[in-house]
Amino acid sequence: MTQTDPISAEDQDRHAAKMARKKAARDRMMETKTGEKGLIIVHTGPGKGKSSSGFGMIMRSIAHGMPCAVVQFIKGAWDTGERTLLTTHFTDICQFHAMGEGFTWETQDKSRDIAMAQAGWARAQDLIRDPAIRMVLLDEINIALRYGYLDAAEVVAFLQAEKPAMTHVVLTGRGAPDALIEAADLVTEMTQVKHPFRSGIKAQAGVEY
Amino acid sequence: MTQTDPISAEDQDRHAAKMARKKAARDRMMETKTGEKGLIIVHTGPGKGKSSSGFGMIMRSIAHGMPCAVVQFIKGAWDTGERTLLTTHFTDICQFHAMGEGFTWETQDKSRDIAMAQAGWARAQDLIRDPAIRMVLLDEINIALRYGYLDAAEVVAFLQAEKPAMTHVVLTGRGAPDALIEAADLVTEMTQVKHPFRSGIKAQAGVEY
């Protein structure tokens, strides 16, 4: 029997009473969650959804009228959906800066990769310092940190010292350094359970970019 | 020494050669990834990013001019950023259907929750069957499956039998049933590493909704 069968009045009442208790307990718990602050948010791990979730949060910010900004550290050369949308529809509320030229095995030029990462970080610092900007997405910055193109201790120290109290900063990319995870308020690891590349399916519009 | 120090010509050359080999190997691998197909995509797990990543993919679809649709199974009563944005900016390309009335401990009415879930699923079936719609996000449907308000075997059988070949269907929510994970092409589990609720921070605009 699935629960889609008709429900007895008794079951209905039992459910309502149980849910009322659950709601009361939850309300008491949520009453203790009154704070608001700008968060350091990290999306890491090998699974999908790190960048698309960051992009989703940027779109939520836009929806709430909160000025925001995106710095893309690695994917700059790509013609992504997020780039198209942000640079055609929402330039009044969201800045978009592509500061990468592709994966390091595509550029094959370490000095240039480092220079691009440093330029991206300089831009990111300006954006984060601006108190009018409420959310800054640093897309794939963890890759630049992992390769040592940026110094994790420096990034963490900047966020702790200079991020305005109400600004959210979202840092994505696999292999987030421990110091960043330690400093963050909200960390999600995306774990890959199943991926269609294994079945010979390529990256597709809407899903990957 | 961090890698942000100047790089010797020798190191530069070694890096370029190594990356050229990596690119060649990757290109060979990617040449085998030629297929395109509509995917069954599942975002599950207790971490953040399941819905925001689905929403990000919907925004990517919109950016690529691909008609799409969202059915929200649980959050219908909420005034979310995604709802605001989709119903004000993109009604020509993305349908938005809020088919929930909040968490089950808020409604406290099991029959009504079941009726809402079933109505949402009926709507979802129509949207998925429509070959003009390229991506359908079934937000929080996994919750309805987990409570037994919808039958997982029925949902999986429908997706396998009736989803057009090129349509992507994204199913979000914690506790995705095994049968759905088995049937899916792309499954990501969002794992919670750190959450600000633990520090007394409430749900905030842009981040959670």
Side-chain angles (χ1 to χ4, degrees):
Chain A
M1 189 185 97
T2 74
Q3 291 186 37
T4 53
D5 294 320
I7 298 165
S8 69
E10 199 178 299
D11 180 36
Q12 183 80 269
D13 290 347
R14 203 163 42 226
H15 174 84
K18 183 177 162 193
M19 289 302 127
R21 285 194 301 276
K22 185 165 179 175
K23 177 166 164 49
R26 202 179 157 85
D27 286 349
R28 280 194 301 277
M29 188 270 282
M30 294 308 282
E31 272 169 20
T32 67
K33 317 299 182 197
T34 53
E36 280 192 308
K37 68 178 256 196
L39 304 175
I40 299 174
I41 300 170
V42 174
H43 297 167
T44 193
K48 259 196 63 65
K50 300 182 288 293
S51 291
S52 53
S53 172
F55 176 47
M57 285 198 281
I58 284 289
M59 296 312 297
R60 282 178 177 157
S61 290
I62 289 171
H64 291 290
M66 296 159 56
C68 50
V70 178
V71 181
Q72 280 194 331
F73 275 84
I74 303 287
K75 298 178 189 163
W78 301 2
D79 204 11
T80 58
E82 39 272 52
R83 178 186 199 145
T84 305
L85 205 67
L86 293 173
T87 57
T88 55
H89 281 72
F90 300 109
T91 51
D92 55 327
I93 189 165
C94 187
Q95 294 187 43
F96 184 88
H97 302 279
M99 306 296 285
E101 301 186 287
F103 290 118
T104 183
W105 58 82
E106 285 161 350
T107 64
Q108 299 174 23
D109 184 335
K110 194 169 176 176
S111 297
R112 191 161 161 179
D113 287 348
I114 292 174
M116 289 296 285
Q118 298 276 347
W121 174 236
R123 181 65 57 91
Q125 288 174 289
D126 289 343
L127 294 165
I128 293 166
R129 278 194 193 104
D130 180 349
I133 298 179
R134 298 286 306 281
M135 179 179 283
V136 180
L137 169 60
L138 307 180
D139 193 33
E140 302 290 11
I141 191 174
N142 295 343
I143 307 288
L145 290 166
R146 189 162 58 126
Y147 288 147
Y149 295 172
L150 298 176
D151 185 67
E154 185 193 323
V155 168
V156 167
F158 174 84
L159 292 174
Q160 291 177 328
E162 302 206 36
K163 185 182 80 60
M166 292 310 296
T167 301
H168 303 295
V169 179
V170 186
L171 305 96
T172 79
R174 60 175 74 190
D178 291 343
L180 178 59
I181 289 175
E182 184 59 36
D185 302 288
L186 171 54
V187 180
T188 307
E189 170 145 330
M190 277 64 171
T191 307
Q192 182 170 302
V193 178
K194 202 186 259 190
H195 200 292
F197 280 6
R198 292 189 190 159
S199 319
I201 301 298
K202 66 181 182 184
Q204 295 180 90
V207 179
E208 273 90 8
Y209 61 91
Chain B
M1 190 184 97
T2 75
Q3 291 186 38
T4 54
D5 293 321
I7 298 164
S8 69
E10 200 179 298
D11 180 36
Q12 184 80 270
D13 289 348
R14 204 162 41 226
H15 174 84
K18 184 177 161 194
M19 289 301 126
R21 286 194 301 277
K22 185 164 178 176
K23 177 167 166 49
R26 202 180 156 85
D27 286 350
R28 280 194 302 277
M29 187 270 282
M30 293 308 281
E31 272 169 21
T32 68
K33 317 298 181 195
T34 53
E36 282 193 306
K37 68 177 256 197
L39 303 175
I40 299 174
I41 299 170
V42 174
H43 296 168
T44 192
K48 259 196 61 65
K50 301 182 289 293
S51 291
S52 53
S53 172
F55 176 48
M57 286 198 280
I58 284 289
M59 297 310 297
R60 282 179 177 157
S61 290
I62 290 172
H64 291 291
M66 296 160 56
C68 50
V70 178
V71 181
Q72 281 194 330
F73 276 83
I74 303 288
K75 298 179 191 165
W78 300 2
D79 204 10
T80 59
E82 40 271 52
R83 178 184 199 147
T84 304
L85 205 67
L86 293 173
T87 57
T88 55
H89 280 71
F90 301 109
T91 51
D92 55 328
I93 189 164
C94 187
Q95 295 185 44
F96 184 89
H97 302 280
M99 306 295 285
E101 300 186 287
F103 290 117
T104 184
W105 58 83
E106 285 161 351
T107 63
Q108 300 175 22
D109 184 336
K110 194 169 176 177
S111 298
R112 191 160 162 179
D113 287 348
I114 292 174
M116 289 296 286
Q118 298 277 348
W121 175 236
R123 180 66 56 93
Q125 288 173 290
D126 289 342
L127 294 165
I128 293 166
R129 279 195 192 104
D130 181 349
I133 298 178
R134 299 285 307 281
M135 179 180 282
V136 181
L137 169 61
L138 306 180
D139 194 33
E140 303 289 10
I141 190 174
N142 295 342
I143 307 289
L145 290 166
R146 190 162 58 125
Y147 287 145
Y149 295 171
L150 298 176
D151 184 67
E154 185 193 321
V155 168
V156 167
F158 174 84
L159 292 174
Q160 291 176 328
E162 302 206 37
K163 184 183 79 59
M166 292 311 296
T167 302
H168 303 295
V169 179
V170 186
L171 305 95
T172 79
R174 59 174 75 190
D178 290 343
L180 178 60
I181 288 174
E182 185 59 37
D185 301 289
L186 172 53
V187 180
T188 307
E189 170 146 332
M190 276 66 171
T191 307
Q192 181 171 301
V193 179
K194 201 186 258 188
H195 200 293
F197 280 6
R198 291 188 190 160
S199 318
I201 302 297
K202 67 181 182 183
Q204 295 180 90
V207 178
E208 272 90 10
Y209 61 93

